[in-house]
Amino acid sequence: MPRGPTRDKRRTYKSKDQKGFPLSSKDKGIPKHTLEGKSDLSGSSEEEGSEGVVQADFVFFDPKPDDFHGVKILLQTYLDDTQWDLSGFVDLILAQTTVGTVVKMEGDDDDTPFSIVTALNLGRYKDHKCIKELKEFLLKVCQEKDVIRDLRLLMGEQAHDVGLLVSQRVVNLPPQLLPPLHDALFDEVSWATEDEPTAELRNSFRFKCYLLVSKIYKKNNRNLIRRSGSDGGDGIVYIKPEDENFHKLSLWSFSFPMHAQQVETQEASNIVVCFFWF
């Protein structure tokens, strides 16, 4: 059921009653048609080959249990090569349908997720094995005294104020999907503070800050430490361009070398952890 009047399709990617509209890279944001699902927003990926152009439309959906294997693949190196309860982590993400989006290709028989975006309250899920192991891992790999003090506080006393921003996708996801995809997330967080059935659930989405774990490449293996107002670090290659924006927003960050999927180049794989207000 619609929640209110439909907004201008050409200027608004997401509204409370109509979460989005199909887009083509050819029409530059002008809607073509409406699709069913969590969101009607589609992006188009065009790939030139010997026989012409292939176009694929992507659609936003609520997470569901059937997405388990696809989302698990997207997150398989989320905490590098450490052994942890990744299956439990994926279950948490898929069980939280109020806030979270899975991006799929329209008409894909395999129903493969190409992206997952969500925000999990570290306090709400603190007793789950996967969240305990995630906290232990981050505290273990953080070697900076100033940062680890703040990190321990955020994961302990202030955990109920912290949203773990999980944003994983295939590298070649159409870039025009990214702004509305993240707008959708923060809209859902805002709506959840009003629409969830209990005060406890509504409060669990009143995030004061976010923690992001993501992958970057660096031209050397020195730890990257950044405080607000300081240089973002030379030689950083952001695998996902949107992570650069989050990194710039962060109050502090740290990085550590990855062991999984090392590339035989002068660039070393790292995981960067960013803390920011939004």
Side-chain angles (χ1 to χ4, degrees):
M1 294 290 292
R3 298 188 182 187
T6 302
R7 301 182 185 180
D8 189 329
K9 295 182 180 181
R10 297 192 183 193
R11 291 180 294 176
T12 305
Y13 287 105
K14 177 183 173 78
S15 63
K16 202 167 185 177
D17 59 321
Q18 190 84 333
K19 290 191 175 182
F21 305 89
L23 300 175
S24 167
S25 57
K26 293 180 178 179
D27 61 30
K28 297 182 180 179
I30 298 175
K32 294 188 303 181
H33 57 276
T34 301
L35 303 175
E36 295 182 356
K38 173 184 173 180
S39 171
D40 301 321
L41 179 68
S42 294
S44 295
S45 174
E46 294 184 358
E47 185 177 338
E48 293 195 13
S50 58
E51 299 182 0
V53 177
V54 176
Q55 179 172 301
D57 290 332
F58 293 84
V59 191
F60 291 4
F61 291 97
D62 282 327
K64 65 180 190 297
D66 289 347
D67 298 325
F68 178 86
H69 293 293
V71 171
K72 188 174 181 179
I73 290 173
L74 288 174
L75 294 168
Q76 61 184 344
T77 59
Y78 184 70
L79 295 185
D80 197 12
D81 60 354
T82 190
Q83 296 295 315
W84 69 299
D85 186 18
L86 176 57
S87 294
F89 189 61
V90 174
D91 285 337
L92 278 187
I93 290 171
L94 300 182
Q96 182 180 277
T97 57
T98 304
V99 171
T101 297
V102 173
V103 179
K104 299 179 182 179
M105 186 183 297
E106 182 188 12
D108 181 12
D109 292 337
D110 293 334
D111 205 29
T112 303
F114 286 81
S115 177
I116 177 67
V117 176
T118 192
L120 302 174
N121 186 297
L122 290 181
R124 175 181 175 183
Y125 299 116
K126 64 182 176 66
D127 294 327
H128 288 257
K129 180 183 178 183
C130 59
I131 298 300
K132 290 180 179 180
E133 292 177 342
L134 180 144
K135 292 178 180 180
E136 292 172 0
F137 175 80
L138 294 181
L139 290 171
K140 178 181 178 180
V141 297
C142 180
Q143 300 298 314
E144 303 304 316
K145 293 181 179 179
D146 291 341
V147 172
I148 198 170
R149 182 171 58 246
D150 292 341
L151 185 63
R152 185 174 288 111
L153 186 63
L154 288 171
M155 292 185 167
E157 297 176 17
Q158 299 178 1
H160 284 281
D161 297 329
V162 182
L164 178 66
L165 177 57
V166 181
S167 178
Q168 296 290 103
R169 63 176 178 84
V170 296
V171 175
N172 60 345
L173 193 74
Q176 65 265 36
L177 287 179
L178 301 179
L181 181 59
H182 287 94
D183 286 347
L185 174 69
F186 295 116
D187 280 349
E188 286 182 333
V189 168
S190 177
W191 300 339
T193 64
E194 302 172 0
D195 298 343
E196 285 291 79
T198 67
E200 182 180 7
L201 286 175
R202 291 192 293 271
N203 290 335
S204 73
F205 290 104
R206 299 186 191 278
F207 302 124
K208 294 182 179 179
C209 53
Y210 289 90
L211 201 65
L212 172 72
V213 179
S214 192
K215 182 180 176 183
I216 59 173
Y217 286 120
K218 293 174 62 179
K219 290 185 178 179
N220 57 65
N221 220 17
R222 293 176 300 175
N223 264 7
L224 167 68
I225 307 299
R226 193 179 77 77
R227 286 285 174 174
S228 180
S230 66
D231 181 72
D234 294 331
I236 301 174
V237 179
Y238 295 92
I239 299 172
K240 297 179 294 181
E242 63 271 26
D243 287 345
E244 182 174 6
N245 295 325
F246 289 129
H247 199 188
K248 289 178 178 178
L249 285 170
S250 64
L251 183 64
W252 53 254
S253 65
F254 71 92
S255 70
F256 55 92
M258 284 188 69
H259 297 97
Q261 295 183 339
Q262 286 291 354
V263 180
E264 295 298 328
T265 68
Q266 294 180 348
E267 296 172 344
S269 300
N270 283 250
I271 290 179
V272 63
V273 181
C274 303
F275 163 74
F276 62 95
W277 308 96
F278 198 90

